[in-house]
Amino acid sequence: MTFVGVVESVGQGIDASGVAVIVIGGMAAAVAAGLRMTQHQSQVYQRLRQQLGRTILLGLELLVAADIIRTVAVTPTVQSVVVLAGIVLIRTFLSFSLELEITGRWPWSKAPAAPPDSTAGGPPPP
């Protein structure tokens, strides 16, 4: 098998992994939401959206990785690089949008600080 064939196979394997992550993660999120509904837990829809968003983010990362591997190693033409740039740009926008939807903040923003524990006996915050 040639180098190009191996790289193409690796790219296809990573593509398949990305799709599998999205499909299996989506089904797992749906099953978990169904169980939460039968137990009458609160915020079922919110948790489902968060789990689906995380699943899609992971799947998108794998799909972008496969595109990069195939484009850079197999067909590094100007046209293929421009197409890859467009794909990465769109998927990056989707990733940022999903991250904002899941966490309520931009990916580069720090997580909000946890409120101080009033039972710890430490000094009050300034």
Side-chain angles (χ1 to χ4, degrees), residues 10-49:
V10 168
Q12 288 175 350
I14 296 173
D15 265 341
S17 298
V19 171
V21 162
I22 293 171
V23 170
I24 293 169
M27 291 185 330
V31 167
L35 291 173
R36 283 190 205 101
M37 284 180 63
T38 60
Q39 298 170 353
H40 303 290
Q41 292 183 7
S42 63
Q43 298 181 338
V44 174
Y45 179 69
Q46 179 70 19
R47 289 182 182 177
L48 173 64
R49 287 183 59 184

Side-chain angles (χ1 to χ4, degrees), residues 62-83:
L62 290 169
L63 292 170
V64 167
D67 287 341
I68 290 171
I69 289 170
R70 280 199 308 273
T71 300
V72 172
V74 176
T75 56
T77 64
V78 173
Q79 182 180 1
S80 65
V81 171
V82 169
V83 169

Side-chain angles (χ1 to χ4, degrees), residues 32-118:
L35 291 173
R36 283 190 205 101
M37 284 180 63
T38 60
Q39 298 170 353
H40 303 290
Q41 292 183 7
S42 63
Q43 298 181 338
V44 174
Y45 179 69
Q46 179 70 19
R47 289 182 182 177
L48 173 64
R49 287 183 59 184
Q50 287 177 341
Q51 287 180 329
L52 283 175
R54 287 186 182 111
T55 297
I56 292 169
L57 276 174
L58 180 57
L60 281 174
E61 295 296 329
L62 290 169
L63 292 170
V64 167
D67 287 341
I68 290 171
I69 289 170
R70 280 199 308 273
T71 300
V72 172
V74 176
T75 56
T77 64
V78 173
Q79 182 180 1
S80 65
V81 171
V82 169
V83 169
L84 174 65
I87 291 170
V88 169
L89 188 68
I90 291 167
R91 288 186 179 164
T92 301
F93 173 75
L94 287 173
S95 295
F96 282 161
S97 298
L98 286 169
E99 184 71 27
L100 181 61
E101 184 71 25
I102 292 168
T103 64
R105 64 183 191 283
W106 292 106
W108 54 83
S109 300
K110 289 184 178 180
D117 186 8
S118 60

Side-chain angles (χ1 to χ4, degrees), residues 1-15 70 74:
M1 185 175 255
T2 66
F3 174 74
V4 172
V6 169
V7 171
E8 190 64 37
S9 295
V10 168
Q12 288 175 350
I14 296 173
D15 265 341
R70 280 199 308 273
V74 176

